[in-house]
Amino acid sequence: MSEKFFNYKSVNDIRKNVKELGLDIAFEEKLEEMFKPVKIGNRTIGNALGIHPMEGCDGTLDGKPGELTFRRWRRFGEGGAKLIWGEATAVVPEALANPRQLLMNEKNLPEFERLLKETRSAHRRIYESDGDLLVGLQLTHSGRYSYRRPLIVYHHAQADSVTYVDKSRGITVSKHYPVLTDDELDRLQDAFLLAARRACKLGFDFIDIKQCHTYLLNELLGARIRSGKYGGSFENRTRFVKEVLSRIRDELGNKVMVASRFNAFDGVPFRKDPVTGKGTPIPFETPYPYSFGVDQQSPLNEDLAEPLKLVRLLREHGVVMVNVSMGSPYYNMHYGRPFERTPDDGYYPPEPPLVGVERHFRITGAIQQAFPDLVVVGTGYSWLRQFLLNAGEANIRRKRVTIVATGRGAIAYPDYAKDARETGAMKSSKVCLAISYCTNLMRSKNNELGQYPTGCVPRDEVYTPIYKEVLGKKAKEPEPHAEVH
Ligand SMILES: Cc1cc2nc3c(=O)[nH]c(=O)nc-3n(C[C@H](O)[C@H](O)[C@H](O)COP(=O)(O)O)c2cc1C
């Protein structure tokens, strides 16, 4: 099954399709507001354009940035977007999502320092000053998706059924699989604090306490059926993040700004329908007791009451900027990153990608409108290709977002902000095609390092031979691996 969704030659073509689908997405032809400075905490950045955290699975086996990591960050530095949201960096080794994810520890500090320096000097080389550039780092614990073994905080019936303890043998998380204890979670708070201290010492402008994409802190937000001090009530489910933020503020004060990328809507797990190939929800019962931001009576829809409460609480605990995301890259990837073509082990989109884009805009808009003076970073733009900034400009003008950022779009086209500034538009020859090659590389594990690096295959020639090698091996394999990011 392969349908072409992106069939637009002009902004008017998309407008027409938006209308046909009954969606609310506006486009502005003239890019203006996005080039104005934005105040974030005690700093001001030069434009309202950003780059989302995009890991390249290209660190060394001891968690240091590798050559391709340095290259990616330099390209982001040269790109002209003034908010660079550095990628997932594990706070302890057992929290790594893959063997080549970055790991924050004492030994790796010099390389992290070099990464930050090179990113900033790449920016200075082109734009003279980097005083209006903000570079942050995302601190993460992969929880259920830690590659050594799943570390879960509660049993989620549908998610458990697609969480592998041993992928090669198809063994999933059973109901007897242990759940992290309160003591273990207490100790993980210390790990986040230590990583924050290190990132601050290195000079990152902000740190992100990651609560998205169904990793550990995101899972905690939905741990209604967990007992003990980290489960049940909203108060308990947010205990971890509240305590970590308080401890960071007590110790680091204003030395580093604190941000959080969080899921405003987890959705329910999907799987591929064996007949149609389409993504279809794994059967569930209502009231749905799991996950965050879902309507418990009708969990395919969002209920933003708790996400809004969370944002209020994050602000009270010193968070100056939120990055709104959704879904799980493992079991409902169409929510987080609307795509044109499915990753090899994914599914055919259960809805037009434009519907997914609108969900991002709607939910992010609701959060921005509830907190008009908070810096809110928006996600889900890349599928719109060269028209993403036209939508971003409209969202900024309609006060539905503060900063427009791209993820896949940025690895395809790191200097999108520079081109837009110089010519008033993005070049269609450089945009992300959303055909999931980056995800395919990410799930390719069968090299000597246990992980292939990922990047943009159609737009960045460095990844052509890597992709060819992966395809060559896959052709000889009986069964593809089953993991996505
Ligand atoms: C290869 C790849 C790496 C990613 N790495 C991260 C990451 O380190 N941290 C994170 O929060 N999201 C990560 N994401 C998700 C993106 O930041 C972003 O949310 C998603 O791609 C949707 O935005 P887009 O439409 O602009 O691509 C990654 C996605 C991909 C495809």
Side-chain angles (χ1 to χ4, degrees):
M1 210 183 213
S2 156
E3 188 183 333
K4 201 162 182 282
F5 293 101
F6 192 96
N7 280 314
Y8 320 116
K9 296 242 161 5
S10 68
V11 165
N12 277 341
D13 290 345
I14 311 195
R15 284 194 181 115
K16 202 167 139 249
N17 197 199
V18 164
K19 210 166 160 203
E20 285 159 1
L21 292 168
L23 303 175
D24 177 18
I25 306 179
F27 296 86
E28 291 287 345
E29 324 268 324
K30 199 162 171 11
L31 308 180
E32 223 165 47
E33 289 300 311
M34 59 178 51
F35 299 124
K36 295 187 177 161
V38 179
K39 199 168 176 318
I40 304 177
N42 54 11
R43 296 280 299 278
T44 300
I45 60 170
N47 59 39
L49 298 174
I51 293 182
H52 282 307
M54 287 298 287
E55 64 173 312
C57 308
D58 46 18
T60 61
L61 288 182
D62 54 357
K64 299 182 174 74
E67 274 322 301
L68 285 172
T69 327
F70 283 105
R71 176 179 181 269
R72 182 173 55 262
W73 283 57
R74 276 196 305 268
R75 283 157 58 96
F76 290 166
E78 289 162 355
K82 295 290 184 176
L83 179 73
I84 300 180
W85 199 296
E87 69 206 54
T89 300
V91 296
V92 283
E94 60 273 23
L96 290 161
N98 67 69
R100 298 181 70 183
Q101 192 169 52
L102 301 184
L103 172 66
M104 182 53 80
N105 63 21
E106 201 60 28
K107 222 173 83 215
N108 294 347
L109 294 185
E111 277 79 7
F112 275 104
E113 191 169 27
R114 180 156 78 88
L115 189 63
L116 181 58
K117 265 199 186 135
E118 287 193 11
T119 307
R120 289 201 158 279
S121 59
H123 193 81
R124 276 197 309 275
R125 264 200 307 280
I126 297 188
Y127 309 98
E128 285 171 23
S129 154
D130 65 341
D132 62 350
L133 169 74
L134 232 59
V135 186
L137 192 68
Q138 181 175 70
L139 303 180
T140 188
H141 188 301
S142 305
R144 185 176 283 273
Y145 303 103
S146 301
Y147 88 98
R148 293 181 181 177
R149 71 182 179 94
L151 296 166
I152 64 172
V153 296
Y154 71 95
H155 282 286
H156 178 311
Q158 289 78 22
D160 282 3
S161 73
V162 288
T163 305
Y164 292 93
V165 178
D166 183 340
K167 196 162 293 171
S168 60
R169 293 192 290 152
I171 301 173
T172 53
V173 162
S174 74
K175 60 176 192 258
H176 306 294
Y177 192 78
V179 166
L180 284 177
T181 64
D182 285 359
D183 280 352
E184 285 170 317
L185 287 171
D186 289 345
R187 284 199 295 280
L188 281 174
Q189 283 198 21
D190 301 339
F192 271 92
L193 183 65
L194 186 58
R197 193 183 293 148
R198 287 174 169 146
C200 170
K201 195 167 125 197
L202 289 169
F204 281 98
D205 299 304
F206 69 94
I207 47 165
D208 161 21
I209 304 300
K210 181 179 191 176
Q211 305 183 82
C212 62
H213 305 160
T214 62
Y215 294 110
L216 188 92
L217 271 61
N218 184 183
E219 186 160 286
L220 269 174
L221 294 176
R224 272 183 218 88
I225 62 162
R226 183 185 167 96
S227 50
K229 67 175 182 176
Y230 289 111
S233 64
F234 177 79
E235 162 82 355
N236 281 355
R237 286 180 274 129
T238 51
R239 182 182 303 281
F240 190 99
V241 72
K242 279 183 300 205
E243 292 184 359
V244 164
L245 291 171
S246 299
R247 292 174 69 187
I248 291 175
R249 201 170 40 173
D250 287 350
E251 184 179 321
L252 301 173
N254 288 333
K255 285 191 205 138
V256 68
M257 293 195 280
V258 184
S260 188
R261 190 168 209 209
F262 78 100
N263 258 18
F265 173 59
D266 290 348
V268 301
F270 278 58
R271 67 181 169 210
K272 186 177 183 168
D273 181 291
V275 179
T276 65
K278 257 193 195 179
T280 177
I282 299 177
F284 56 80
E285 286 172 6
T286 53
Y288 189 71
Y290 313 126
S291 302
F292 190 63
V294 296
D295 178 341
Q296 291 186 262
Q297 301 306 328
S298 164
L300 293 176
N301 299 316
E302 71 267 19
D303 176 350
L304 297 184
E306 286 202 341
L308 289 167
K309 258 167 89 177
L310 174 70
V311 175
R312 171 154 301 126
L313 178 156
L314 294 174
R315 290 194 84 180
E316 286 163 7
H317 287 77
V319 165
V320 297
M321 168 167 63
V322 296
N323 184 328
V324 182
S325 194
M326 59 190 67
S328 171
Y330 300 92
Y331 58 60
N332 57 23
M333 52 284 233
H334 64 288
Y335 285 137
R337 44 180 163 82
F339 52 85
E340 185 71 14
R341 203 187 296 162
T342 175
D344 284 350
D345 60 343
Y347 47 69
Y348 185 77
E351 61 188 15
L354 205 50
V355 171
V357 171
E358 202 240 20
R359 184 180 295 107
H360 272 282
F361 294 177
R362 180 178 73 236
I363 291 181
T364 306
I367 290 167
Q368 179 74 85
Q369 268 151 21
F371 301 95
D373 57 339
L374 177 66
V375 177
V376 175
V377 181
T379 301
Y381 284 84
S382 293
W383 182 81
L384 293 172
R385 300 195 189 178
Q386 67 272 28
F387 305 118
L388 74 90
L389 289 182
N390 304 97
E393 174 74 19
N395 284 342
I396 294 175
R397 289 196 204 178
R398 292 173 77 193
K399 306 207 179 311
R400 295 179 105 193
V401 77
T402 316
I403 294 179
V404 172
T406 64
R408 292 164 298 172
I411 56 169
Y413 192 171
D415 54 350
Y416 79 95
K418 183 166 180 281
D419 282 358
R421 182 83 186 120
E422 287 171 5
T423 68
M426 286 169 65
K427 294 189 171 59
S428 59
S429 58
K430 294 166 83 174
V431 296
C432 165
L433 302 174
I435 53 176
S436 300
Y437 287 5
C438 53
T439 307
N440 289 343
L441 276 177
M442 203 163 199
R443 74 165 177 255
S444 299
K445 315 279 180 189
N446 52 345
N447 66 357
E448 64 293 351
L449 300 174
Q451 177 65 56
Y452 274 95
T454 185
C456 184
V457 178
R459 302 294 189 203
D460 186 350
E461 73 283 359
V462 163
Y463 296 93
T464 312
I466 300 172
Y467 202 61
K468 278 193 180 146
E469 185 179 316
V470 167
L471 289 182
K473 283 190 183 169
K474 204 170 272 167
K476 292 184 199 146
E477 260 176 23
E479 273 290 299
H481 291 260
E483 187 194 335
V484 289
H485 189 284

